[in-house]
Amino acid sequence: MKLLREMVVTDGKVYDNNVLKVDSFLNHQIDATLMLEMAKVFYEYFKDEKITKILTIEASGIAPAIMVANLFKVPMVFAKKSKPSTLKDNAVFTAQVHSYTKNVTNTIVVSEKFINEEDKVLIIDDFLANGQAVLGLMEIVNQARATTVGVGILVEKSFQDGRKLIEDKQVNICSLCRIASLENNEVKFNIADDEK
Ligand code: 5GP
């Protein structure tokens, strides 16, 4: 998506040759107009899939996911990174997710009430790096005996393993912006995306 690539170049900052900071428009201060435009692309891509639920992980997945859910007219569910005391142990789906940027492992939690075997789930997240967040969400969908019909990502870091690990599970990924390299703290996009 051209607009997102332009924002990454003008407003993004690269750290340590591998982390892209986008907190002025994607995940701290949020550009709502851009979020809606991105949600429309996911809607067009997945609109024939009879999606019944959008699933993401707190916190930065929530903004894009709610926009997408609004277009599909289905509920959005977000996995919590710790279990609220109001949820009973046996009433939740859980998965382990190692956070690449924070270097911690969280047990992510979704109440059993909100995903069931009839659900066709679209997973949305801001970044795809090593794929751990998305794989954890897919594990929760599996526990619910529901189906993951696709994954929508705002920024894919294609030089990490995430895409391959998800494609190995035969799940379709739509990434709005694919980064080939952040070497020398400089953003290089996948050449194949230049015209889109
Ligand atoms: P993964 O689980 O695919 O390794 O990483 C995905 C999660 O890590 C995303 O939910 C995102 O919050 C965070 N993340 C990974 N790489 C980056 C990055 O370069 N910049 C930012 N802002 N977040 C990232």
Side-chain angles (χ1 to χ4, degrees):
M1 186 191 184
K2 193 163 176 278
L3 179 58
L4 177 58
R5 283 203 305 274
E6 285 168 1
M7 295 282 289
V8 165
V9 170
T10 53
D11 295 15
K13 300 247 172 328
V14 184
Y15 291 91
D16 304 331
N17 300 311
N18 66 9
V19 175
L20 176 66
K21 194 168 174 186
V22 285
D23 64 353
S24 64
F25 63 104
L26 275 195
N27 57 17
H28 190 14
Q29 173 172 265
I30 295 174
D31 183 329
T33 308
L34 174 66
M35 277 293 169
L36 181 56
E37 291 310 309
M38 295 190 290
K40 286 178 187 168
V41 179
F42 292 136
Y43 180 75
E44 278 306 309
Y45 192 91
F46 290 111
K47 67 178 182 223
D48 298 327
E49 300 285 349
K50 299 191 170 58
I51 283 157
T52 63
K53 226 148 261 182
I54 309 298
L55 179 64
T56 190
I57 182 167
E58 67 178 357
S60 20
I62 293 177
I66 192 87
M67 293 277 185
V68 177
N70 184 44
L71 296 177
F72 277 96
K73 303 286 175 241
V74 299
M76 183 277 278
V77 179
F78 66 92
K80 298 187 177 233
K81 285 182 177 158
S82 60
K83 190 167 73 63
S85 55
T86 48
L87 276 180
K88 294 203 188 88
D89 274 343
N90 60 1
V92 291
F93 303 120
T94 63
Q96 300 291 311
V97 171
H98 181 75
S99 163
Y100 171 82
T101 40
K102 298 190 182 122
N103 198 22
V104 291
T105 299
N106 291 301
T107 302
I108 63 166
V109 179
V110 171
S111 166
E112 279 184 2
K113 281 190 293 193
F114 300 131
I115 309 184
N116 65 60
E117 59 195 24
E118 276 157 27
D119 278 321
K120 299 186 89 177
V121 178
L122 172 60
I123 293 174
I124 298 286
D125 204 3
D126 59 342
F127 274 84
L128 177 63
N130 291 315
Q132 297 308 297
V134 171
L135 289 172
L137 293 170
M138 286 171 64
E139 162 65 25
I140 281 178
V141 174
N142 279 346
Q143 286 174 25
R145 298 178 197 278
T147 311
T148 300
V149 295
V151 174
I153 297 291
L154 306 183
V155 180
E156 173 184 319
K157 291 155 78 185
S158 306
F159 55 92
Q160 293 182 253
D161 292 339
R163 172 174 282 271
K164 184 181 180 312
L165 294 173
I166 294 160
E167 283 180 342
D168 283 350
K169 295 185 183 288
Q170 272 74 49
V171 171
N172 194 1
I173 310 169
C174 173
S175 297
L176 301 188
C177 156
R178 296 192 296 170
I179 293 176
S181 158
L182 294 174
E183 286 295 310
N184 304 317
N185 290 334
E186 206 178 288
V187 180
K188 287 212 174 72
F189 297 107
N190 284 21
I191 292 167
D193 294 346
D194 273 356
E195 300 306 317
K196 289 187 213 153

